[in-house]
C-alpha cells in the first residue's frame, strides 16, 4: 500500500519536476503537452500508456487534437505518492529535447 506524500516531502520532490504544476484541490500534479498534430500527440499517449501499464500506475488525461493534459495522483493513497513522481519523470523523459 503506497503512502500519500507528506507536505515537506512533496515540496522537495516537486522541485525536481519543474514542468509539473501542483493541484492542491486534487493533491495531484498536472502538465500540458503540445505536439505538432494529433498523430504526434497520440503517439506520445501510446508510449505513456505502455509505461503506465508496466508501472501499474495510470494517468488521468485528456487529448484535444495536438494537446495532451495529464494529471497524476494515486487513488489508492488518496493523493500524491512516489508512484506519481516516478511516472512523471518517465513521461518527462519521453519529451526531453
Ligand atoms: N493508478 N493513478 C493510479 N492510482 C492508483 O491507485 C492505481 C492506478 N493504477 C492501478 C492501480 N492503482 C492498481 O494497483 C489497483 O489499485 C487498481
Amino acid at each position: 500500500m503506497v503512502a500519500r506524500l507528506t507536505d515537506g516531502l512533496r515540496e522537495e520532490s516537486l522541485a525536481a519536476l519543474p514542468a509539473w504544476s501542483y493541484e492542491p484541490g486534487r493533491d495531484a500534479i498536472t502538465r500540458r503537452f503540445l505536439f505538432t498534430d494529433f498523430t504526434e500527440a497520440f503517439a506520445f499517449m501510446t508510449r505513456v500508456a505502455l509505461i503506465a501499464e508496466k508501472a501499474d500506475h495510470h494517468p488521468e488525461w485528456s487529448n484535444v487534437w495536438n494537446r495532451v493534459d495529464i494529471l497524476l495522483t494515486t487513488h489508492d493513497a488518496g493523493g500524491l505518492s512516489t508512484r506519481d513522481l516516478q511516472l512523471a519523470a518517465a513521461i518527462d523523459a519521453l519529451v526531453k529535447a
Side-chain angles (χ1 to χ4, degrees), residues 56-59 72-77 83-84:
D56 189 27
H57 195 69
H58 304 82
L72 300 177
T73 192
T74 304
H75 308 115
D76 293 347
R83 287 189 181 164
D84 301 304

Side-chain angles (χ1 to χ4, degrees), residues 15-91:
L17 293 166
W20 295 77
S21 303
Y22 180 59
E23 298 283 331
R26 289 288 317 270
D27 194 19
I29 52 174
T30 61
R31 183 176 174 184
R32 170 162 289 184
F33 298 84
L34 293 172
F35 297 94
T36 312
D37 54 25
F38 174 75
T39 304
E40 290 300 312
F42 198 81
F44 166 76
M45 292 178 77
T46 302
R47 297 177 73 193
V48 172
L50 295 174
I51 292 170
E53 189 59 15
K54 189 171 178 186
D56 189 27
H57 195 69
H58 304 82
E60 295 179 21
W61 50 359
S62 70
N63 161 243
V64 178
W65 191 56
N66 68 330
R67 189 177 81 215
V68 179
D69 289 309
I70 297 182
L71 181 144
L72 300 177
T73 192
T74 304
H75 308 115
D76 293 347
L80 203 63
S81 78
T82 53
R83 287 189 181 164
D84 301 304
L85 306 177
Q86 288 160 1
L87 183 53
I91 291 170

